[in-house]
Amino acid sequence: MALGTFEIARRFCGPPTSGNGGYVGGRLSTFVATDAAAPAVAVRLLAPPALERALEVRDDDGGAALYDGERKVATARAVPLELDPPGPPSFGRAEEARRAFRGFDEHVLPGCFVCGVERTEGDGLCIYPGPADDAGLFAAPWIPDASLGGVPGDALDAAFVWAALDCPGAFSFPQAEGLCLLGEMAARVFSEVRIGERCIVTSWLISRKGRKNVTGTALYGPDGDCRAYARATWIEVDRESVPRD
C-alpha cells in the first residue's frame, strides 16, 4: 500500500549523487508510528537514495519502505532504543573542538549537506565535530538557521534533526582507508529542536570491528537537555564505488 511520495532536493546530498542518509532517514521516519515500547525509528539504507526523483513510500509489515521505481532503497521500523550518552561540553568548548575537525584537512565528501567543508552557512548544516575530551567524545556547536524553514523559534522538521545526528558519528572513529557510509541509523527524538537555538551535537564510538563501526550521537539544547540521540552503523566501502557526478 502506498503511503506517500517525496523527492530529495540536490541541496540535501551526502555523496554527490545521492541523499544524505540522516536526512533521508528523517523523512522516512515520519511514516512510522512509535509507542512507549518502541519509541525510536530505525532506518536501514539498502541503496543510494536518488536525488530529484519522486520516491514512493509503501507500507512494509507495519513499518515503511522507500522505493525508487520497483527498487527498494530503504526500510524503517519502530524499535526500542536506550543510550546513555556522555554529558555535553559547554558551547564554548564545542566551538574549540570544532576548530580541530579533521575534515578541514581532508574530507572525502566535501559537498555533504551536513558536514561538507565546501558548504556555507545557510546552505549546509556545517556541523564539524572535533575531539572534546580525552575519553573519545567529539562535539560541535550548531545553530539551526532560517534556511531550514521558518523563523527563529519554529520547530525543525524531523529530517534536519536526523541529519544533524548522522555525520558526526562518522568522525568519532579513525578515518578509514575507504569511505564509511551510513548503513543503519536508529534515532529517538525527545523534544523539538528550534531555529536559532544554540545547540551542541556530540558523538562517540560504541564499537568497531573490521569494516563496521557503531557510533552514538546526541543533540542538546541550550540548557543542556538532550533533545534527541541516535545509534548508527557505518560500513567501509571503496571510495571508487561512490559516483562523483
Side-chain angles (χ1 to χ4, degrees), residues 43-101:
V43 173
R44 177 170 293 181
L45 298 170
L46 307 175
L51 302 173
E52 300 181 328
R53 186 153 63 214
L55 304 175
E56 184 178 44
V57 182
R58 303 177 190 173
D59 179 75
D60 189 53
D61 293 329
L66 186 65
Y67 283 83
D68 184 350
E70 291 306 309
R71 185 186 193 191
K72 186 184 286 189
V73 173
T75 61
R77 65 192 187 282
V79 297
L81 179 65
E82 294 290 343
L83 293 178
D84 185 19
S90 67
F91 193 85
R93 180 70 188 95
E95 290 180 311
E96 292 176 8
R98 181 186 189 272
R99 290 196 282 271
F101 176 59

Side-chain angles (χ1 to χ4, degrees), residues 1-23:
M1 178 179 69
L3 302 177
T5 61
F6 64 82
E7 185 173 303
I8 305 164
R10 187 163 297 278
R11 177 188 178 193
F12 306 126
C13 71
T17 62
S18 59
N20 170 266
Y23 174 84

